[in-house]
Amino acid sequence: MSRQDSDEAYVLEAYVLDMCDEVLGETGQQGHRFDWLLGDPGATGRQVNLPVDSYWPGHQLVVAYRELQHDQPMPIAVQLVGPR
């Protein structure tokens, strides 16, 4: 993905999440992590908590918007997230 495509994707994601905030009447918690949402174990067996794009607790709603792993196979999540 080119830098321009990446920038456009970011702007579109922000627009969609802002629309959700407006429709729901609640500001989403962007990058929220749940204890139960874990990446694949790394070589040491350690797992990291994965962030969601936004979470609206008052509506018990989570959005993961157009992530690359939704459309094609990816390496294990720990490689994508890296160490904490």
Side-chain angles (χ1 to χ4, degrees):
M1 178 184 301
S2 73
R3 173 67 187 253
Q4 181 178 353
D5 290 342
S6 177
D7 291 347
E8 289 172 5
Y10 176 79
V11 169
L12 185 56
E13 178 180 320
Y15 172 74
V16 168
L17 295 178
D18 287 347
M19 270 193 344
C20 291
D21 288 349
E22 186 175 333
V23 168
L24 296 171
E26 177 182 7
T27 301
Q29 298 175 12
Q30 294 187 15
H32 184 81
R33 295 172 188 259
F34 294 94
D35 291 338
W36 50 266
L37 184 58
L38 301 172
D40 296 325
T44 64
R46 184 170 175 267
Q47 293 177 285
V48 296
N49 295 87
L50 300 176
V52 297
D53 290 327
S54 199
Y55 168 55
W56 294 266
H59 293 82
Q60 296 183 342
L61 177 68
V62 169
V63 169
Y65 180 78
R66 294 188 71 177
E67 302 292 338
L68 198 55
Q69 69 269 22
H70 297 164
D71 297 325
Q72 61 189 8
M74 300 295 292
I76 62 173
V78 173
Q79 291 176 341
L80 297 174
V81 174
R84 273 190 172 174

